[in-house]
Every structure is written in structure tokens, then in C-alpha cells.
Amino acid sequence: LSDGLVAESFEKIMESKVVKEKRTDLDKRLETLRKRHEKEKTKASESEKSKTKFHIGNRLVKRLSSKNISETAETSESCSECEGDGVTARLPRSHSERLLNLCKEHIEQERELKERYHDMIYNAAEKALRTSQANQLKDLRSLLDKETGDVMRRLEAVRRTEVKELSKGHKDKDEVMRMKREVASTIVEKGVHERMRLTQIYEKKREELERQHQEVRNQFEEERSKAKAAISQEFDGRYAKVDEESEAELMNNQSTQ
């Protein structure tokens, strides 16, 4: 029985065609999602800029109209009051909050996509792993059957050769029949011995292969858990970073008011 039959490694399983296809699909979907997010953020920023200009201009018009100011000096004074009344500060803060919520929404969408594909990738890999291991056990059994068949054919060839030689060297038919039976009995014993020998070798190799299979399955489950934890760690960190930046911006706005 061949010594070259060993369990496929975790790394080889993760390089299988079906797993690569899932990962490629994930990369494409992530790229599409990120492009859409960039467009949404750009659109939101442009919208807020327009609103900011409109609200500031509208407040100035209302102040000027209500006070019925006609002199340039008084107009300048009204502009100064508008800049200091918190309108400008409040609008950027509102803008910042909207962008913050949009950013968190984008992060959550990306997280959901990665988690969904994590399950799809590892489910596909697990199926490939189980198929590979089942096929290897079948291959090992096929090797046993093949080698057993080869041994039986060789023994049968030996029996025929010996019987042929007996027929040539002896004229007594009864003696020839007796010797043929002895040859047949010897060949049967050898056949039984060879079957037992090959079966014992097969059982040892099967046990070793199953041990290797279990090690790969254990590693697979460990790597699956690590990958899942890595996704959580990545996005928890991104959430925390967004919150930190938002808090820093808020404190900066408050200090400049």
C-alpha cells in the first residue's frame, strides 16, 4: 500500500477552486459597496454645504429685513452677530453627526457582508474538506483491493505453473491429483496470509490517515473561529476610531465657539 497518501492540509483546502471563487466574489462585492459608500458620502457632503450656505444667507436676509438696516456699518454689525450666534457652529455639527451616522451605517453594511461571506467561505471549505477526506479513505480502500487482487492473480499464476510441471513429470494420475491438491492448499494458505498481511497494513494506514484528518479538522475549526474573531476585532476597532474622531471634532467645535 502506498505511503504517499496523506491528508490534504488546511492551507491546500483553502486554496481549492470553490473557496477561491467565494473570496473573489467577496472582494468584488466589497469594492462595489465601498464605491457606493464614497458616492453617498460625497453626495451628503455636497448637500450639507448647500444647506449651510442657504441657511446662513437666509438668516442674514431675515435679520437685515427685520431691522430695516440701510447703512453699510450696520450691515457689517449684523454679519458679525450672525457669525457669533452659533448658527455656523451648529450646522457643521449637524453635518458631522449625519456623516458619522452614515459612516457607521457603511461600516455595519461592510461588517454584515464580511460575516455573511465568512460563513459561505468556510462552509464551502468544510464541504471540500469532507469530500477530500472521504475520497482519500476510498482511495486507500481501492489500493487494498487492487493489491489484494494483484497478489491473488500472482498466486494463481504460480499454482497453474506448478500444476503444469506436475503433469509433465508424473504419469500416475492419482499421485498427480494428490499433488495438485497440495499445491492448491498451499496457494490458498499463502493467499489467506497475504490477505491478512495487506489488511493489517491497510488498517494501520487507515488509522494514521484518520488521525491526520482529525488534526486537519481541528485546525480548520480553530482557523474558522480565528477568522470570525478577526472580523469582530476589525470592525469594533473601526467603530471605536469613528467615535474617537467624532468626539475629538465635537470638542474642537466647542472650544472654537
Side-chain angles (χ1 to χ4, degrees), residues 33 36-37 40-41 97-113 235 238-239 242:
L33 188 64
R36 193 179 80 214
H37 289 170
E40 289 177 355
K41 284 192 287 187
E97 288 174 351
R98 274 190 280 271
L99 284 179
L100 172 64
N101 291 333
L102 186 61
C103 187
K104 286 185 174 181
E105 181 182 335
H106 290 170
I107 292 174
E108 182 61 27
Q109 289 174 357
E110 189 173 334
R111 179 175 192 156
E112 289 176 356
L113 181 63
F235 286 94
R238 288 174 64 179
Y239 278 127
V242 168

Side-chain angles (χ1 to χ4, degrees), residues 16-248:
S16 61
K17 181 180 178 181
V18 64
V19 174
K20 284 185 175 180
E21 288 175 349
K22 294 294 182 185
R23 282 180 164 167
T24 299
D25 192 28
L26 170 61
D27 290 339
K28 289 179 180 178
R29 288 179 179 270
L30 281 173
E31 183 64 22
T32 300
L33 188 64
R34 287 164 183 165
K35 286 181 179 179
R36 193 179 80 214
H37 289 170
E38 286 301 319
K39 288 182 180 179
E40 289 177 355
K41 284 192 287 187
T42 300
K43 184 177 180 181
S45 295
E46 291 175 350
S47 176
E48 289 299 332
K49 287 178 182 178
S50 298
K51 288 180 181 179
T52 300
K53 291 178 181 179
F54 172 78
H55 283 296
I56 292 176
N58 195 39
R59 289 293 295 271
L60 282 171
V61 170
K62 287 182 178 180
R63 283 174 176 267
L64 292 172
S65 299
S66 63
K67 292 183 179 182
N68 196 22
I69 300 173
S70 60
E71 296 182 2
T72 303
E74 291 175 335
T75 302
S76 299
E77 183 181 350
S78 296
C79 288
S80 298
E81 289 176 0
C82 181
E83 290 173 358
D85 68 358
V87 174
T88 307
R90 285 196 301 272
L91 285 171
R93 179 178 176 182
S94 175
H95 177 202
S96 177
E97 288 174 351
R98 274 190 280 271
L99 284 179
L100 172 64
N101 291 333
L102 186 61
C103 187
K104 286 185 174 181
E105 181 182 335
H106 290 170
I107 292 174
E108 182 61 27
Q109 289 174 357
E110 189 173 334
R111 179 175 192 156
E112 289 176 356
L113 181 63
K114 278 197 171 184
E115 287 180 341
R116 185 167 73 252
Y117 267 84
H118 168 273
D119 292 338
M120 292 169 64
I121 287 169
Y122 276 88
N123 286 343
E126 183 178 14
K127 184 176 180 180
L129 174 63
R130 294 189 180 280
T131 299
S132 168
Q133 293 185 347
N135 287 340
Q136 284 191 320
L137 290 172
K138 287 180 182 178
D139 290 344
L140 185 60
R141 180 69 198 193
S142 295
L143 284 173
L144 170 65
D145 294 340
K146 180 179 181 300
E147 292 200 20
T148 300
D150 290 343
V151 168
M152 293 301 104
R153 281 189 291 273
R154 287 197 299 270
L155 290 175
E156 177 62 18
V158 170
R159 185 192 69 79
R160 288 178 180 176
T161 300
E162 290 186 4
V163 167
K164 187 176 181 180
E165 292 299 322
L166 287 173
S167 299
K168 290 180 180 179
H170 297 81
K171 300 298 182 180
D172 189 335
K173 291 184 178 180
D174 291 338
E175 181 66 14
V176 170
M177 290 300 296
R178 184 187 66 78
M179 296 179 71
K180 284 183 178 181
R181 286 194 295 270
E182 288 181 355
V183 169
S185 177
T186 300
I187 293 299
V188 168
E189 288 181 5
K190 287 183 178 180
V192 171
H193 174 75
E194 285 300 307
R195 281 181 179 274
M196 290 179 61
R197 183 182 68 83
L198 290 173
T199 299
Q200 288 174 352
I201 294 173
Y202 163 77
E203 290 296 336
K204 288 181 180 180
K205 289 187 176 295
R206 182 179 60 80
E207 289 175 3
E208 172 60 20
L209 186 58
E210 288 181 340
R211 184 190 66 77
Q212 294 175 12
H213 285 172
Q214 186 60 52
E215 286 183 353
V216 175
R217 288 196 295 271
N218 291 343
Q219 183 184 5
F220 178 85
E221 292 301 329
E222 183 179 344
E223 295 296 334
R224 189 210 294 258
S225 297
K226 284 182 180 179
K228 186 79 169 181
I231 293 174
S232 296
Q233 184 177 3
E234 174 193 352
F235 286 94
D236 288 347
R238 288 174 64 179
Y239 278 127
K241 184 177 180 181
V242 168
D243 287 337
E244 288 174 4
E245 291 176 351
S246 175
E247 185 176 350

